[in-house]
Amino acid sequence: ALSRLVDATPRLRSTKKGGATRSMRRVARGKLHPTVYLNRTGASPQTTTSNRHRPFCSKRTILKGYADIQRRAMATAAGPSAEQLATLTGGTTVTFIDRLLSVVEEEIVPLSQEGVRKGNKLFGGAVLRKSDLSTVSASTNTETGNPLFHGEITAICDFYDMPRDERPPAKDTIFLTTHEPCPLCLSAIAWGDWDNFFYLFTYEDTKDAFSIPHDLRMHEEIFRVKNGEYNHENHYWNAWGIKALIRGLGDGEHHASRLKFEERLEKLHVTYDEMSDVYQQSKGKGAEIPLS
């Protein structure tokens, strides 16, 4: 999380109706330490570059965001162990990450692209067999039909709608989500009997890059959980962030694989930015989504 806080170039916010611009959202996943950003841009809340644009972040906002993400990184560092991960991956973390990204790219993204055109959010999920990582089911958000049908909830319903003799026990599967689950979905994964889940985009991405703040807000307003710092290792399940797994490959023998994964992440960010644009433009056009 620390390596992607702010980008090297100034980020501007458009006053155009319809939500955050793509450049605004990219601030949330920048590539430089905030002090470098500040030195290069001289960001100030009072500076105006034109009649239509003004800087997105003040110095105080950037540094506060950096501190929040740093606290979050420290909290999640105490999550599931490497041994627990190895039990799921069979010790082949590179192959495991490759498969998770492929499921997002090839199976979930097409469903979500169709879904956002209908007014749904861009969240999706999938269930994979632990034994061979084959896909049991892939799903996307369908909130236009029911506001509770988040990507994870739809994935759980699709899984349990399958004939019992055609689906494996939940504990024999991997639960994959495109975005870190909200409080509703965290509980649903436990009630669905999964002992794990893996997510691609973080709460910070969801709030800052995709302009949907409710996950973090509910954690704090309802459960008094600051910065989304829930327990990643608990009685019910263990949780891992895919970005953190990629960073964990380091610069050793898996350096080349890490770089390739990072390239794929960038492409996925662009794809989800485009979907977010479509979703933001559809707000208020008839879809019955209370917390859009």
Side-chain angles (χ1 to χ4, degrees):
L2 305 183
S3 66
R4 301 180 56 82
L5 179 62
V6 291
D7 200 25
T9 56
R11 294 306 173 197
L12 306 175
R13 177 168 59 192
S14 172
T15 58
K16 182 179 180 181
K17 184 178 179 181
T21 63
R22 183 173 304 167
S23 60
M24 172 181 171
R25 294 195 300 270
R26 285 182 58 82
V27 172
R29 56 176 202 274
K31 300 176 182 178
L32 292 183
H33 189 282
T35 55
V36 178
Y37 172 86
L38 295 171
N39 289 338
R40 292 188 180 184
T41 65
S44 168
Q46 304 302 322
T47 303
T48 301
T49 57
S50 73
N51 291 332
R52 295 183 58 232
H53 296 89
R54 59 190 173 90
F56 167 51
C57 288
S58 67
K59 294 182 180 181
R60 182 177 180 182
T61 300
I62 293 170
L63 293 174
K64 181 180 183 299
Y66 178 79
D68 288 344
I69 293 178
Q70 189 175 40
R71 284 194 298 270
R72 180 98 192 279
M74 293 174 65
T76 57
S81 67
E83 289 75 17
Q84 290 168 317
L85 177 64
T87 299
L88 285 175
T89 66
T92 57
T93 304
V94 170
T95 301
F96 185 78
I97 294 173
D98 177 69
R99 176 59 183 157
L100 296 186
L101 290 178
S102 294
V103 172
V104 174
E105 293 163 338
E106 300 168 11
E107 300 184 55
I108 299 176
V109 162
L111 295 174
S112 296
Q113 288 173 325
E114 181 180 355
V116 296
R117 288 194 290 267
K118 298 177 180 178
N120 295 291
K121 292 192 182 83
L122 62 167
F123 308 132
V127 178
L128 315 178
R129 291 178 177 83
K130 288 180 180 178
S131 59
D132 59 4
L133 299 183
S134 60
T135 304
V136 179
S137 61
S139 311
T140 193
N141 180 291
T142 56
E143 283 186 70
T144 53
N146 186 317
L148 297 185
F149 288 170
H150 295 194
E152 298 90 337
I153 301 299
T154 305
I156 292 170
C157 290
D158 289 346
F159 177 80
Y160 278 103
D161 281 345
M162 297 175 64
R164 191 168 184 177
D165 59 353
E166 294 182 13
R167 58 174 165 81
K171 287 192 181 297
D172 290 341
T173 64
I174 302 289
F175 198 95
L176 170 63
T177 74
T178 58
H179 297 69
E180 195 166 8
C182 73
L184 166 68
C185 297
L186 290 175
S187 298
I189 291 169
W191 284 109
D193 205 29
W194 276 274
D195 60 9
N196 71 87
F197 67 84
F198 293 80
Y199 59 90
L200 181 58
F201 297 111
T202 65
Y203 287 142
E204 287 82 14
D205 291 323
T206 301
K207 178 175 72 74
D208 297 328
F210 305 123
S211 303
I212 302 174
H214 308 297
D215 299 343
L216 286 172
R217 186 175 295 165
M218 284 189 178
H219 270 298
E220 183 166 353
E221 294 286 340
I222 300 173
F223 302 105
R224 298 182 181 178
V225 173
K226 297 286 188 179
N227 305 309
E229 293 172 1
Y230 62 89
N231 186 10
H232 280 57
E233 178 185 11
N234 56 66
H235 174 76
Y236 298 99
W237 37 249
N238 295 326
W240 288 269
I242 297 173
K243 290 183 180 180
L245 294 181
I246 292 173
R247 288 195 300 272
L249 294 176
D251 296 321
E253 61 177 318
H254 298 308
H255 177 68
S257 296
R258 179 175 65 81
L259 294 180
K260 290 179 180 179
F261 289 149
E262 288 175 349
E263 290 178 3
R264 292 168 71 180
L265 283 178
E266 282 300 318
K267 291 179 181 179
L268 280 169
H269 271 292
V270 171
T271 297
Y272 275 89
D273 279 349
E274 292 169 350
M275 282 195 275
S276 183
D277 285 340
V278 174
Y279 172 71
Q280 296 297 334
Q281 292 167 12
S282 72
K283 284 184 178 181
K285 293 184 178 180
E288 190 177 3
I289 302 179
L291 296 179
S292 60

